[in-house]
């Protein structure tokens, strides 16, 4: 069953998680810091524009595909975790699904939704923006590290395949 399928999925995941880590790294290291220099209303407008565009961009298929493949690899590796490649694939898939996808759904998306709702209601922009920048960036750091860690674990798993 394994053949080239598992190595192919590991390659896809290693590269996909690495790309995702790079996107999140950019947000954590300079995009959010640049937005913090803007007036609150301008920063809120810029972030809301990104949040609208990102769901229409090539980011979404990669976001969803890497998550689905990571789930599949973790599930497959659960039954093969004693294989030389299994433990790292299980750890990488689990880290990515919970540390990237779970964090995104539990923290970053609700923060984005609240920011969009603020735009519609207006008022209190400075406090909302300051809290958003702090909280969203913290959780983005988590996503960055989870994506990078998963990418590394998938490479470790690839190196262990016989």
């Amino acid at each position: 069953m394994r053949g080239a399928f598992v190595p192919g999925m590991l390659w896809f995941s290693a590269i996909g998680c690495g790309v995702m880590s790079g996107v999140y790294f950019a947000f954590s290291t300079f995009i959010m810091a640049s937005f913090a220099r803007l007036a609150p209303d301008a920063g809120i407008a810029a972030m809301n524009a990104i949040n609208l565009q990102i769901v229409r961009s090539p980011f979404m298929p990669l976001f969803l595909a890497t998550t689905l493949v990571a789930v599949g690899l973790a599930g497959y590796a659960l039954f093969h975790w004693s294989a030389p490649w299994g433990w790292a694939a299980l750890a990488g898939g689990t880290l990515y699904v919970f540390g990237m996808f779970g964090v995104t759904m539990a923290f970053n998306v609700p923060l984005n939704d609240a920011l969009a709702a603020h735009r519609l209601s207006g008022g209190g922009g400075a406090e909302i923006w300051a809290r958003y920048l702090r909280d969203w960036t913290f959780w983005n750091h988590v996503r960055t590290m989870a994506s990078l860690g998963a990418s590394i674990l998938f490479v470790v798993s690839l190196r262990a395949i016989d």
Side-chain angles (χ1 to χ4, degrees), residues 10-128:
L10 287 168
W11 274 110
F12 174 82
S13 294
I15 294 167
C17 292
V19 169
M20 296 300 289
S21 178
V23 170
Y24 297 141
F25 179 79
F27 271 88
S28 283
T29 58
F30 61 87
I31 294 171
M32 297 308 284
S34 297
F35 285 174
R37 293 173 172 253
L38 300 174
D41 288 344
I44 290 168
M47 194 66 193
N48 281 330
I50 285 175
N51 290 333
L52 288 173
Q53 182 59 36
I54 204 159
V55 297
R56 298 181 187 112
S57 74
F59 172 88
M60 284 309 290
L62 182 63
F63 175 85
L64 295 171
T66 54
T67 301
L68 291 173
V69 173
V71 167
L73 282 170
Y76 187 76
L78 187 60
F79 297 101
H80 299 89
W81 78 278
S82 62
W85 58 270
W87 72 268
L90 176 60
T94 302
L95 177 60
Y96 192 73
V97 169
F98 289 101
M100 190 292 292
F101 185 78
V103 164
T104 299
M105 294 297 112
F107 300 104
N108 294 90
V109 168
L111 287 164
N112 291 343
D113 291 345
L115 194 66
H118 162 72
R119 179 195 61 181
L120 300 174
S121 66
E127 300 93 36
I128 289 168

